[in-house]
Every structure is written in C-alpha cells, then in structure tokens.
Amino acid sequence: MKSKIKWAALGGLVLSFASLIVHLFLAKSSADLVQYTAITVFTEDLTPTLAIRKSPAFRKLWRNVKSLEPLHPYPNPRSTYPVAVEQNNGFIYAKISGSFEKIRNSIVDLVAISRLLNATLVIPEIQESARSKGISSNFKSFSYLYNEDQFIAALANDVTIVKSLPPILMEARRRKEYQIFKPKSSASPRFYTSEVLPRLKKAKVIGLILTDGGCLQSALPSSMVEYQRLRCRVSFHALQFRPEIEALGKLMVERLRASGQSYLAYHPGLKRDALAYHGCAEIFQDVHTELIQYRRAQMIKQGIISEELNVDSHARKRNGSCPLMPEEVGLLLRAMGYPPRTRIFLSGSETFGGQRVMIPLRAMYTNLVDRTSLCSKTELANLVGPETPLIPDPDQLLPVKSPNQLKSEWDKSGPRPRPLPPPPDRPIYRHEKEGWYGWVAEKDKEPEPSLNDQREQAHRLLWDALDYIVSVDAEVFFPGFDNDGSGPDFASLVMGHRLYEMASARTFRPNRKYLAELFNTTVDHLYYPPRNWTFAVREHLNKSLAEEGLLKESNLSKTKFFLSHPIPECSCSTVKATDIVHSGKNNNLHLLFEGQDECPKWMQQLRTQEANADEVDSQEDETDLEGQSESEGYNGADAIPSLEQDEEMDPDD
C-alpha cells in the first residue's frame, strides 16, 4: 500500500514538473505576440457601434474638413516636358547626412538639380547607414530606407538614374579627381547654372555633400513650376520605403484600427537640436537645461546661431518659438472633446526628456502607444536585419579586478574579525547614470559618438520611417512643434504629405503664440478651465484645420520648405474659384483656391458620391458650435477669454 502511494506521489511530481516546463516554454514563445495584441495594448477599449460613428459628436472629432474636399493631388506635368535622355552633361553623385526629414528633402532636391543640369543622377549615399559599423549587410546606404528599383522606375520620364558610376569614373572618384560642392539648402538655380554646370560639362562628374537638409531653395520662379511638381512626384510617389518597412508600417496601422477604431497621431517635436536652436532650455529642469545649453553653445561656435547663449526661454515660449509640452497637448485634446480612451500614436524617434515628460499625457490618455508597444521585438529586429556584435561601450562597464587584486585587498584589509568582502563588480549600465547624458556629471565635454551611438542613429531612420507611415495614414494628426519655415522637420513633412494626399484629412496647425496666451489666462485652473476658455480652444483649433490654418502655414513655411505646403502647384480642384466667389463663401476659401487648376474630367468622375446627409450634419454641427459660443458670451477666437467671465468647467462635462 505504501509503495503505491509513493509511486502515485512520484507520478504527480513528474506531471507537475512537466506541466511547469510546458508552461514556461509557451510563455516564452508567446511573449512577443502578447506585446502588441489589442487586448494588452489598449485598456478598456470600446468598439464604436455604427450609431456612435454616425453621431454628431463622433463626426466632430474624426470627420474630414468639408471645405477642403475639392482639393485633390495632381503632380503631373502640365506643359512641355521632354523625356530624360541618356546623352546628357554627365553624372552627379552625392553624400547625404542628417535626420530622416533632412535626408528625404535632400533627395528630392537632388532630383530637381539633376533635371535642371540635364545630368544622370547616381543613387545617393545615406551616410548614417553607410558609415555605421556592423549594420546589416542586407540593406546599405540608400536601400537601408528606400526601394531603389521603385525610385529609378518612377522617375524614368524625369531623370536618368543609375545605381553606380561606370568603373572608370569610379576609379577616378576614388582618386578624388572630381570637384566636390557643399551647397546650402538656400542655393539658387542660378548658382547651379553658372557655377556647377560649366564644371560638370568639363569633368563629366561632380560630387555634392549635403548636410543642410537640401540643396535648392524652396521658392522657385513661376517659370519653374514644373520643378515644384517634380519635387512632389519624388517625395510622394518615387520615394517608397523598402518592402519590409512598408509592410510593418501598414501592420501597425491595422493594429491601431483594430475593432473599427480611429486613431490620432501626435509628434511632440521635442528634439534637443530644435530646443537649443530656438532657446527653449528653461522649459525643462536640472540636467536637461544644461544639455540644451551645451548644444546651443556648440551651434553658436559653428555659426548656426548668431544670438547669445542665454535667452529668456519663457519669453520665447510666449512668442510661440518653443514646442507645446505633452501636458498642454493633452489639455487641448481634452478641450476638443477627445475621450480618455482615444487611441493616440506617439511618433518620433527622439523625445527629449524621455518618458518623464510624457507622464501627464499618459495620465489623461491611457491608450497612448508607440512602435515598441505595437510591434514585437522580433518584428523590429527583422526590420533592422542581422547585425554583427560590437565591442561594449567602455562607458557602460567598469574595469574588472583580477583575482590577485582581490586577494591582495583582502590581505591588506586589517586584523580579524573583518567584514565580508563586497560582492563581485557588475556592469554599470548607461541607464543607471540617468540615461545617455551621464557624461554631464563626469566631464565638461560631450564624448564623441561611439560605434553603438552611430548604429542607433541608423536605427532612428527606420523608426522615423515607420512613424511617418503611421502619421500620414492617421485620421487626425497633431504636431507639438513645427519649424514654421526655418527648415525641414518631421511634423512639417507629415503635414505636407497629408495635405497633398488628402487635403480634407484632419491636420491641426496650432498657433503656439495664441495658445500660450490662452494657457496664461488659466494657468491656475489648467485642469478645470472655464467654459469660455474651452470654446476658445475649440474655435482656434477648428479654424486651424481648414483654410485659415492652411493660409497661415503657406505664409510661414512654404518659402523655406516647399514640401510642407505643396499646393497649389501639386493639386487641382473640382470646384472653380469663380464658383466659390459667386457662392458667397468666406474670403479665406477664395484665396486658398485662387490659382488652383481645375481637375481633368477623368479625375472628377472619380469623386465619391457622398450622402447629402453628411452636408446637413456638418452644417448642424457648425451651427451647434456657433450657438454654444454665443450662449456662453464668447466674442471670437482672437479674443483672449478672461477667467472672470465664467465659472470653472465641470470636469465630467
């Protein structure tokens, strides 16, 4: 009897052990899958029913802007535009470095320059991936981000593009026999026709080094309007990401839209270089302020900034030169009426200040996710490709003491009884030194980028490419900061692409100076503002979605960054400008459509036949908003409300 009990107990232990092994195996193999399932990523996410999606409240937050629906993308040539020929003036090769948006804008300008000089363009080299050590050999230089074959085929009628120089010319390039130019982004067409073209005809090859985010001025003469359309064809059609990036980006969009949900993409714009350039150090605290000031001092030394090192950051913020902080964006979205469970995608490979600055926004919107929570580690690793291991960064490790050193210290530690020896030394990782900026407490000079840092810079290009796909496809896009014409940046690039692809998509273009004044009026009641403050925010942001916001963007940004506002050159209208004048609509709409070409008939036939009920509903929503504003005694978006005009808003309202 006892032996049977022992055997039964032993069998139970074996089964329990086997069950534990199986459980651990399943948990490990499914860990990556759980990371991006909708159940775990999005908390208490309710599926919107058809009735909810058709409700006025839902449409106010997610519907397209009705007045901009007549605008459609149309970048085709509209005048004599001969096909590119192989017999031309020579070859242009280029090396490009910088951030994602600078690289993309530089490629666009390169194609336009090649067309202007009637030259063959060699696929440019992206230095962030070409110089990085140990990155995947499967993808290098241009192909690290973009599809080379698609790029060449899409521009066959515009520019002759080859993957490399002929062998003889390549050898001469290695011997540095050809002249190299370093043009600025403000270089004029005259510079190329008078300075570069003669040397190109003589040597048949020239090189360009681009670090300024472009090589051709944004505003071109009216006689060169076809070059602007060429820029649109390059940026929005020819520059397609390599298939692995495209597939993962579309998969992220599908996961965000799971269960029939809509999502909002938000780009904070909190980049160290931008903060240093605009003098926004004091809106942060402690070591972050010191880091921004250090970078600003470098920019002054390099001649990028001609101002003083110390400026009043709070005055700059009141002037609209600094980004909106994530907490402020959360308050604006809450004032607009976006519910706490709204799906928000956080884009951008760099958010200066880290997760600490995102805490207030995460508290207001729990469904705030980024690529790391939408993609498994395996998916991101497959995108990067196989990489060779690098030598560990010396800053991450302390020197390990040898056994003889440990024994010598023990023998010299004094008479017994002695305390136990300390545990063996372990690596001190960078995050234990308060992040990558641990050098601030140890050194006066920022260390040179290590091999790991260079590899991470290449990876950031991939992460920005994923975020770009998700941001362009979002139902709503909210920029925390855009350069307002001071150069290419991620948010402006996304806003321009959305304007080109679907002008009526909801893209906020906030006036940061006006919003700073609004926040000043309710600084003591940020989370419980008065009703008239809420209506002022709604009025301003709703106007920024439509023609008023577009006209402001055109005046500020287009002269310095064409791709941020590629209309009217790259678009057409299904409504005539004269019809808008006779319709009695506002003057802003007339100014926006002035100069727009009429879409060809074949394009007009592709217009979707929307139900007339949508127009009625949109009019009802507008009148409802106007009625609310009038009932609350609100006098317009340009008037800053006073706290004395109304009582505090009910937080549950």
Side-chain angles (χ1 to χ4, degrees):
M1 186 66 180
K2 290 183 178 180
S3 62
K4 290 182 179 180
I5 294 175
K6 290 180 180 179
W7 281 108
L10 182 61
L13 289 173
V14 171
L15 290 174
S16 299
F17 183 75
S19 175
L20 180 61
I21 295 297
V22 171
H23 176 76
L24 291 175
F25 174 77
L26 292 175
K28 183 177 180 180
S29 61
S30 62
D32 290 339
L33 297 177
V34 172
Q35 186 176 2
Y36 58 75
T37 57
I39 297 176
T40 56
V41 172
F42 303 111
T43 59
E44 302 180 23
D45 213 354
L46 303 177
T47 303
T49 62
L50 185 61
I52 293 177
R53 296 186 70 88
K54 287 187 175 182
S55 66
F58 188 90
R59 288 196 308 274
K60 282 181 185 178
L61 300 178
W62 302 105
R63 70 178 180 195
N64 291 343
V65 181
K66 204 70 176 176
S67 61
L68 301 180
E69 288 184 351
L71 292 176
H72 297 275
Y74 187 44
N76 297 351
R78 302 171 204 178
S79 59
T80 304
Y81 198 72
V83 177
V85 294
E86 293 185 4
Q87 297 296 328
N88 51 36
N89 294 322
F91 294 87
I92 295 177
Y93 68 88
K95 295 182 178 181
I96 304 173
S97 60
S99 56
F100 171 84
E101 56 274 5
K102 286 187 175 183
I103 290 172
R104 192 175 182 93
N105 193 54
S106 296
I107 295 172
V108 171
D109 285 359
L110 265 178
V111 175
I113 291 303
S114 300
R115 176 75 192 192
L116 177 65
L117 301 181
N118 189 25
T120 295
L121 176 64
V122 180
I123 291 284
E125 300 175 9
I126 298 178
Q127 294 299 288
E128 267 64 24
S129 59
R131 290 183 308 199
S132 298
K133 303 296 183 182
I135 67 170
S136 174
S137 59
N138 297 343
F139 321 108
K140 272 201 170 183
S141 194
F142 188 88
S143 64
Y144 193 72
L145 268 183
Y146 298 110
N147 187 330
E148 287 186 352
D149 295 331
Q150 160 69 18
F151 182 68
I152 295 172
L155 296 172
N157 293 331
D158 296 295
V159 177
T160 302
I161 303 176
V162 296
K163 292 189 177 182
S164 63
L165 286 170
I168 297 177
L169 299 180
M170 181 65 76
E171 290 297 327
R173 176 189 169 183
R174 289 170 182 163
R175 294 192 298 269
K176 300 181 179 179
E177 295 181 3
Y178 303 125
Q179 186 166 357
I180 294 178
F181 296 87
K182 297 181 180 179
K184 296 292 184 182
S185 59
S186 58
S188 65
R190 182 178 177 82
F191 165 77
Y192 289 98
T193 54
S194 61
E195 300 289 334
V196 180
L197 184 57
R199 291 173 173 81
L200 174 63
K201 289 181 176 180
K202 182 178 180 180
K204 294 301 180 183
V205 181
I206 61 165
L208 299 178
I209 296 179
L210 309 182
T211 60
D212 199 32
C215 58
L216 181 65
Q217 65 185 35
S218 175
L220 296 176
S222 57
S223 60
M224 299 183 67
V225 66
E226 290 298 346
Y227 287 87
Q228 301 291 51
R229 297 191 184 108
L230 174 58
R231 279 172 156 171
C232 293
R233 292 197 293 276
V234 177
S235 182
F236 307 133
H237 296 279
L239 275 180
Q240 300 291 330
F241 299 112
R242 59 180 165 92
E244 296 85 356
I245 299 176
E246 288 281 353
L248 186 54
K250 297 300 181 184
L251 188 58
M252 293 167 64
V253 173
E254 290 178 9
R255 288 167 181 167
L256 281 162
R257 288 179 177 158
S259 306
Q261 292 282 343
S262 301
Y263 72 94
L264 179 148
Y266 161 56
H267 184 262
L270 295 173
K271 289 193 172 184
R272 184 185 175 200
D273 284 1
L275 293 166
Y277 182 86
H278 293 283
C280 305
E282 294 173 1
I283 64 176
F284 290 87
Q285 293 179 349
D286 305 328
V287 70
H288 294 92
T289 298
E290 188 174 346
L291 285 165
I292 295 173
Q293 286 295 85
Y294 181 90
R295 182 68 184 118
R296 185 172 172 84
Q298 286 181 317
M299 289 181 169
I300 293 174
K301 187 176 181 180
Q302 295 168 1
I304 301 174
I305 301 176
S306 57
E307 301 175 334
E308 295 182 356
L309 175 62
N310 297 309
V311 294
D312 187 348
S313 299
H314 298 289
R316 293 291 176 94
K317 186 170 178 63
R318 289 193 298 271
N319 193 40
S321 299
C322 295
L324 293 168
M325 296 302 287
E327 180 183 16
E328 296 172 330
V329 172
L331 293 169
L332 294 174
L333 295 178
R334 201 172 78 161
M336 286 296 296
Y338 287 96
R341 296 189 184 93
T342 299
R343 294 185 177 186
I344 299 178
F345 178 78
L346 179 65
S347 64
S349 59
E350 177 189 349
T351 301
F352 189 79
Q355 293 299 320
R356 185 187 306 177
V357 300
M358 303 304 301
I359 290 175
L361 181 59
R362 289 189 185 277
M364 285 183 269
Y365 289 95
T366 55
N367 284 335
L368 178 67
V369 297
D370 58 14
R371 63 186 170 277
T372 61
S373 51
L374 285 176
C375 303
S376 66
K377 293 181 179 178
T378 303
E379 289 172 331
L380 295 177
N382 292 339
L383 188 68
V384 170
E387 295 182 329
T388 58
L390 297 177
I391 300 173
D393 191 341
D395 289 339
Q396 294 182 343
L397 301 172
L398 288 177
V400 179
K401 296 179 181 179
S402 66
N404 291 335
Q405 288 176 318
L406 293 174
K407 185 177 183 305
S408 175
E409 290 179 2
W410 174 258
D411 293 337
K412 296 177 182 179
S413 59
R416 293 176 176 80
R418 291 174 292 186
L420 292 175
D425 287 334
R426 65 174 181 81
I428 295 183
Y429 299 99
R430 183 164 294 180
H431 71 269
E432 295 181 286
K433 296 163 62 175
E434 293 193 68
W436 57 268
Y437 43 80
W439 59 269
V440 172
E442 302 173 355
K443 307 172 185 177
D444 294 331
K445 185 178 180 181
E446 185 171 0
E448 293 295 324
S450 64
L451 297 180
N452 286 309
D453 293 333
Q454 292 179 4
R455 178 183 283 184
E456 288 176 5
Q457 288 177 4
H459 291 175
R460 288 194 192 104
L461 298 180
L462 301 178
W463 311 149
D464 279 334
L466 290 177
D467 294 351
Y468 186 80
I469 295 172
V470 178
S471 298
V472 169
D473 284 354
E475 281 79 9
V476 181
F477 180 72
F478 196 105
F481 181 73
D482 61 275
N483 281 344
D484 289 338
S486 59
D489 65 285
F490 186 91
S492 296
L493 196 62
V494 170
M495 293 162 71
H497 197 149
R498 289 170 62 86
L499 177 60
Y500 168 82
E501 199 75 35
M502 184 181 290
S504 60
R506 293 181 72 87
T507 303
F508 288 102
R509 302 171 184 87
N511 184 328
R512 294 187 300 277
K513 180 178 180 180
Y514 174 70
L515 290 177
E517 294 175 358
L518 271 184
F519 279 115
N520 259 355
T521 62
T522 183
V523 64
D524 296 327
H525 307 277
L526 283 176
Y527 283 83
Y528 305 103
R531 290 178 184 271
N532 62 321
W533 185 90
T534 301
F535 290 131
V537 169
R538 290 180 184 176
E539 183 89 3
H540 171 70
L541 292 180
N542 281 328
K543 285 185 176 181
S544 76
L545 292 168
E547 54 273 10
E548 185 174 302
L550 283 178
L551 290 174
K552 166 189 167 288
E553 191 73 20
S554 175
N555 294 332
L556 285 176
S557 301
K558 188 171 182 176
T559 55
K560 294 293 182 67
F561 185 35
F562 171 75
L563 294 180
S564 68
H565 193 88
I567 60 172
E569 293 87 348
C570 300
S571 62
C572 64
S573 173
T574 54
V575 177
K576 295 181 180 179
T578 54
D579 295 340
I580 296 176
V581 174
H582 296 315
S583 66
K585 293 185 178 180
N586 63 62
N587 190 46
N588 285 333
L589 194 62
H590 170 63
L591 291 175
L592 181 64
F593 280 82
E594 187 177 14
Q596 288 285 349
D597 292 340
E598 188 176 355
C599 292
K601 293 182 179 180
W602 62 266
M603 185 178 291
Q604 295 189 26
Q605 293 173 356
L606 296 178
R607 291 186 64 190
T608 56
Q609 298 178 352
E610 299 288 345
N612 293 331
D614 290 343
E615 296 183 3
V616 176
D617 292 336
S618 63
Q619 292 175 359
E620 290 178 355
D621 295 341
E622 292 174 2
T623 54
D624 179 49
L625 181 61
E626 291 174 0
Q628 287 178 331
S629 301
E630 291 174 1
S631 64
E632 297 296 333
Y634 178 62
N635 296 322
D638 295 332
I640 305 300
S642 170
L643 287 179
E644 298 177 357
Q645 293 178 5
D646 200 356
E647 60 186 7
E648 291 186 1
M649 182 182 69
D650 184 354
D652 297 325
D653 189 6

